[in-house]
Amino acid sequence: MSLRVPPPQSLREALKVPDRYMFGPGPSNVPPRILEAGARPVIGHMHPEIFEIMSDIKSGIQYLFQTQNKMTFAVSGTGHSAMECAIFNTVEPGDSVLTAVNGIWGERAAEMAERIVKKGFSWSVFALSKHRPALFFLAHGESSTGVLHPLDGIGQLCHKYNCLFLVDSVASMGGSPLHMDQQEIDILYTGSQKVLNAPPGTAPISFSERACRKISSRKTKPLSFFLDFNWLTNYWGCDDKPTRVYHHTGPVTAFYSLRESLAVLCEEGLEASWERHRTVAEYFHAGLENIGLKLFVKDKQVRLPTVTTIIAPHGYDWKEITSYIMRTHNLEISGGLGPSAGLVLRVGLMGCNSSRTNVDMVLSALTDALQHCHRSKV
Ligand code: PMP
């Protein structure tokens, strides 16, 4: 048989990737050290050296999450895969799920849960006692609205009603204080591409003993084979079984970068990283107000230090601003997402990007955009 589809002309050209300032809500810039780690040779995903790297990753995540949980690993996939891993493994038909909606991520979690259970319920303390949900979802850092949701006391409240506490920390982890065990969080996940500064594609996750008990008491198998907790924890060597069985081919080069990104964070120290993100964000927020922009989140206490939402300046087309800044300054900032679409500009300064120099760069790009973009008189 002859080939009917010729090789595409475009693939004869060399790969072109520009260097950019990645100051949107993610992915962030990946420093050379982490990029180089990902360029090391591919070896078998079940070779002993890879198991050792996976074990280092587990310890790194335990530090990052401040947890002693044995069931700590990284899902092969982006933040969404960890979200589904958390929900699909703990929820089964007949359960109810409660989600706090303070932006798009609560909506997404509800959309995932509704694939298993009939209807999710929206958050209020009253809803815990009324609906007796099996799981409560909360985004710690809501990257769509720029809100940092307080966590203290919620885990204890959930446990009073025999409900698991699931926290999304994709946008906050490493940039804002969080103590998984002390705050009684049952399932916690994050992504690699924000504060960790690794490429997108791996998602750290951890399950408490309480969460494990709920999983082992399931009457049905989880919806997804790929995200099945028992398979994944065996592949990651968390379950103490004598043999680790092939489940999927782990993305080994992504593991190298994840390990390196955790090593960078360990070198700086969590508390130092939290403090750096806090002070840089404060400096940024003051600078924004100085140039006449307004922050979307009024209450300083609940502003996310990693992703800042700025009220879309009146009279301007937000898209013109983001494209002007990209074209003129080679710098990505983004518009809103989900409920904040059209209302805000979003700037993410995460991990190595969280510095005063970068704040100054964003402020001058915004000032320039406000001078040069079209402004309507109405
Ligand atoms: N949760 C939050 C709070 C996020 O900010 C994101 C990414 N923007 C996700 C989940 C999903 O992560 P990913 O895009 O890596 O799938």
Side-chain angles (χ1 to χ4, degrees):
M1 248 186 275
S2 61
L3 299 181
R4 295 205 173 158
V5 182
Q9 184 56 36
S10 60
L11 286 182
R12 290 175 194 261
E13 310 287 328
L15 171 71
K16 283 193 227 94
V17 183
D19 218 350
R20 281 193 178 131
Y21 296 106
M22 297 299 296
F23 300 163
S28 310
N29 288 102
V30 179
R33 173 173 165 185
I34 297 173
L35 278 178
E36 280 155 22
R40 305 273 175 88
V42 170
I43 57 171
H45 72 291
M46 306 225 1
H47 289 181
E49 295 83 353
I50 295 291
F51 285 166
E52 210 172 304
I53 291 168
M54 290 163 85
S55 161
D56 296 342
I57 291 174
K58 274 196 287 185
S59 314
I61 300 173
Q62 284 168 330
Y63 170 69
L64 180 66
F65 285 9
Q66 287 297 291
T67 182
Q68 314 273 357
N69 291 336
K70 251 172 61 178
M71 300 303 177
T72 300
F73 57 97
V75 183
S76 304
T78 67
H80 276 86
S81 61
M83 232 171 148
E84 292 203 335
C85 181
I87 295 172
F88 289 177
N89 282 295
T90 47
V91 180
E92 59 183 332
D95 286 337
S96 47
V97 173
L98 184 67
T99 59
V101 179
N102 51 5
I104 196 176
W105 300 106
E107 290 172 2
R108 287 254 166 121
E111 148 91 50
M112 287 172 186
E114 279 169 21
R115 284 155 197 247
I116 312 169
V117 298
K118 280 214 173 50
K119 184 96 188 84
F121 304 104
S122 288
W123 159 244
S124 71
V125 174
F126 166 66
L128 276 175
S129 61
K130 184 173 175 217
H131 301 296
R132 292 298 175 134
L135 183 72
F136 172 52
F137 170 93
L138 178 67
H140 181 220
E142 238 306 341
S143 54
S144 63
T145 49
V147 170
L148 178 75
H149 201 293
L151 297 174
D152 283 345
I154 301 179
Q156 286 80 351
L157 194 61
C158 287
H159 295 154
K160 193 169 145 198
Y161 293 102
N162 198 25
C163 171
L164 295 175
F165 185 30
L166 163 60
V167 174
D168 173 322
S169 69
V170 174
S172 58
M173 181 52 67
S176 184
L178 190 153
H179 304 263
M180 181 174 193
D181 291 354
Q182 288 170 71
Q183 290 176 311
E184 296 198 21
I185 298 169
D186 294 296
I187 311 155
L188 178 66
Y189 62 83
T190 191
S192 53
Q193 79 274 27
K194 304 223 180 193
V195 171
L196 283 176
N197 298 132
T202 51
I205 192 165
S206 179
F207 293 77
S208 71
E209 277 178 26
R210 194 186 292 260
C212 296
R213 281 198 297 277
K214 169 81 172 79
I215 296 171
S216 61
S217 71
R218 289 183 68 102
K219 291 174 200 72
T220 56
K221 285 189 179 183
L223 196 65
S224 165
F225 175 82
F226 180 59
L227 298 172
D228 187 309
F229 176 85
N230 291 326
W231 283 94
L232 289 175
T233 49
N234 176 264
Y235 174 45
W236 278 83
C238 305
D239 64 0
D240 292 335
K241 294 220 173 104
T243 44
R244 287 160 79 154
V245 181
Y246 166 68
H247 170 247
H248 71 285
T249 307
V252 290
T253 54
F255 291 166
Y256 305 159
S257 338
L258 180 61
R259 185 197 182 281
E260 203 64 14
S261 70
L262 290 163
V264 170
L265 193 106
C266 288
E267 276 170 29
E268 180 178 16
L270 261 182
E271 284 153 317
S273 174
W274 296 338
E275 184 57 14
R276 180 166 55 83
H277 284 81
R278 189 185 68 76
T279 51
V280 168
E282 275 178 18
Y283 175 66
F284 183 36
H285 297 166
L288 286 167
E289 281 167 346
N290 269 342
I291 60 168
L293 290 169
K294 294 196 176 63
L295 287 143
F296 186 64
V297 182
K298 295 279 163 290
D299 181 352
K300 287 187 181 168
Q301 300 300 318
V302 296
R303 277 183 195 153
L304 187 57
T306 46
V307 178
T308 297
T309 41
I310 305 162
I311 296 182
H314 184 68
Y316 290 90
D317 171 3
W318 68 266
K319 267 198 205 126
E320 195 191 338
I321 296 181
T322 54
S323 7
Y324 176 85
I325 291 181
M326 175 66 90
R327 210 174 48 247
T328 323
H329 296 264
N330 194 31
L331 187 159
E332 177 185 76
I333 65 165
S334 86
L337 177 71
S340 67
L343 302 178
V344 297
L345 295 171
R346 292 184 301 154
V347 179
L349 292 171
M350 299 185 267
C352 65
N353 284 348
S354 167
S355 69
R356 284 178 171 241
T357 318
N358 288 346
V359 167
D360 293 341
M361 201 188 302
V362 175
L363 291 175
S364 72
L366 282 166
T367 310
D368 180 30
L370 294 177
Q371 275 162 11
H372 289 93
C373 291
H374 176 256
R375 183 175 190 182
S376 71
K377 301 275 175 316
V378 281

